[in-house]
Amino acid sequence: MRALAELTTLRLGGPPRRYVEAGDEAAIVAAVRAADADGEPLLVLAGGSNVVVADEGFPGTVLRIVSRGVLDDGRGGLVVQAGEPWDPLVAATVRAGLAGFECLSGIPGSVGATPIQNVGAYGQEVAETIVAVRAYDRLTGTVEERPGAECGFTYRSSVFKRTPGRWIVLAVSFRLIPGGRSAPIRYAELARSLGLAEGDRAPVADVRGAVLGLRRSKGMVLDPADPDSVSAGSFFTNPVLDDAAFAGLERRARERLGPDVRVPRFPQPDGTVKTSAAWLIERAGFTRGYGDPAAIAISSKHTLALTNRGAGTTAALVALAREIAAGVREAFGVELEPEPVFVGHAW
Ligand SMILES: Cc1cc2nc3c(=O)[nH]c(=O)nc-3n(C[C@H](O)[C@H](O)[C@H](O)COP(=O)(O)OP(=O)(O)OC[C@H]3O[C@@H](n4cnc5c(N)ncnc54)[C@H](O)[C@@H]3O)c2cc1C
């Protein structure tokens, strides 16, 4: 089998022991049951845009989900098979004047992976529109329809991500809002680029256009002509801190950067505070382009993305990520957590 580097957006990862593709629900369930009956390690892969696969590859079966199908009730209700590519679905819903996905334009990968880390961008999360997730439970051997409210969605996580490998997503049901107007814009940079205030609404097509423009300027849209897009997107999640930890960060920031420094602060509904991983990385001394320009380096457009410039290896990528995390820990006492899923090795 070919190396997993051919199936990941980072273009990294060695070969799997076995490789199968499954094009519909029955084939997916059969392939998972067969691997489990043999006691074979299993990796489910779709778009390969959120994985960091070891150079040694994967010592088991890689099951690539390529199922297709969209059921549309014409009133904003959709049931979408897991292997459907995400962004063409967003484009089609925006053309149909449906609101709910517009800020999630340009995110690579499959529909089935969106609930795994509750994909989000520009103030919107997929959890807001998910009605139910149809999934095969490897523990019970049954297919279940799990309501969105029971998926344990949090910032870049879900019950699926917290219990790796247990559920295989087969299809996702969504509820979008007809009428052509976007949800209220909740992200300052996006509002600015639309010439609006936060909380305003705009035609969904305008929002999609603005989001794609912003994402392109950061190398966050997959583009064969853009070496900065050879990444797994944001490599680290934004740290979520309690009051005491945030006060500690502010104190360290003042010591390091002066008394007037303002640490990015986004209060969360549960009383915690989210801060910006990119801000911490930059203030710890890691600049855009830092690293080996022929192998692994920070994107030249966005500090949060680590990129493979051609001759990279996963070992070198993880070494750079650890160097950045150690630098931020030393400068600010904050622990960065990787966003992508590590396969065949651990963080
Ligand atoms: C340039 C770029 C920009 C990005 N921007 C964003 C962003 O703005 N916001 C954001 O949230 N993410 C972003 N990402 C990350 C990524 O695109 C998303 O997480 C996406 O949902 C992953 O989809 P995938 O099909 O590629 O998943 P894969 O990489 O194939 O898999 C990711 C994980 O999900 C599991 N998985 C995949 N499909 C299934 C399934 N059907 N059932 C069970 N488990 C499954 C895999 O086992 C693996 O653990 C970005 C990535 C890139 C490369």
Side-chain angles (χ1 to χ4, degrees):
M1 151 67 203
R2 44 196 191 156
L4 290 172
E6 292 174 36
L7 300 177
T8 63
T9 54
L10 269 167
R11 301 183 197 155
L12 294 174
R17 188 159 57 212
R18 246 183 105 235
Y19 176 77
V20 288
E21 289 186 352
D24 60 33
E25 175 173 322
I28 296 168
V29 172
V32 176
R33 286 198 170 127
D36 287 350
D38 291 348
E40 170 87 344
L42 179 73
L43 167 66
V44 170
L45 199 67
S49 63
N50 209 30
V51 285
V52 179
V53 181
D55 295 315
E56 293 72 29
F58 182 70
T61 294
V62 168
L63 168 61
R64 183 135 181 264
I65 297 199
V66 291
S67 51
R68 292 287 188 276
V70 180
L71 271 179
D72 180 348
D73 72 1
R75 298 186 307 274
L78 300 176
V79 181
V80 189
Q81 297 304 302
E84 279 286 341
W86 172 253
D87 193 52
L89 178 72
V90 176
T93 61
V94 166
R95 274 197 305 275
L98 297 170
F101 291 164
E102 61 279 6
C103 297
L104 306 177
S105 293
I107 298 179
S110 63
V111 167
T114 59
I116 305 294
Q117 75 154 7
N118 180 19
V119 298
Y122 296 99
Q124 206 164 56
E125 287 183 340
V126 76
E128 294 161 35
T129 44
I130 290 182
V131 176
V133 174
R134 185 172 168 83
Y136 175 71
D137 181 350
R138 292 167 72 196
L139 208 62
T140 62
T142 56
V143 171
E144 62 179 57
E145 200 79 33
R146 180 176 278 259
E150 290 170 26
C151 292
F153 289 124
T154 53
Y155 166 62
R156 285 316 161 272
S157 195
S158 69
V159 66
F160 310 112
K161 190 163 181 181
R162 289 189 290 273
T163 324
R166 175 166 171 184
W167 285 279
I168 312 301
V169 175
L170 303 169
V172 185
S173 314
F174 300 96
R175 167 66 51 197
L176 300 174
I177 316 276
R181 305 288 291 168
S182 74
I185 307 292
R186 287 181 228 138
Y187 202 87
E189 186 188 29
L190 177 59
R192 266 198 308 279
S193 84
L194 284 160
L196 297 173
E198 275 182 78
D200 287 352
R201 297 171 189 264
V204 280
D206 292 3
V207 176
R208 176 171 167 82
V211 166
L212 288 175
L214 287 169
R215 294 184 68 96
R216 276 197 199 96
S217 72
K218 299 174 189 176
M220 284 292 182
V221 175
L222 288 187
D223 176 354
D226 182 0
D228 282 317
S229 74
V230 184
S231 78
S234 300
F235 197 88
F236 297 103
T237 51
N238 288 321
V240 178
L241 306 173
D242 63 21
D243 274 349
F246 190 75
L249 165 60
E250 285 188 309
R251 183 177 45 75
R252 299 276 291 262
R254 278 194 299 272
E255 283 164 14
R256 189 181 169 91
L257 303 165
D260 298 331
V261 68
R262 287 170 72 99
V263 181
R265 184 175 186 280
F266 306 100
Q268 301 300 294
D270 65 357
T272 57
V273 176
K274 196 196 280 179
T275 190
S276 160
W279 188 93
L280 294 170
I281 292 168
E282 281 159 27
R283 302 309 183 283
F286 300 96
T287 48
R288 293 176 192 181
Y290 179 88
D292 181 342
I296 298 292
I298 294 178
S299 159
S300 72
K301 299 193 184 80
H302 190 33
T303 341
L304 213 43
L306 304 189
T307 60
N308 175 9
R309 318 303 290 188
T313 61
T314 301
L317 178 91
V318 174
L320 177 60
R322 290 200 179 123
E323 183 189 342
I324 293 168
V328 168
R329 187 183 309 121
E330 197 185 308
F332 298 112
V334 173
E335 208 54 54
L336 291 183
E337 297 293 339
E339 182 180 302
V341 175
F342 279 49
V343 173
H345 60 138
W347 170 242

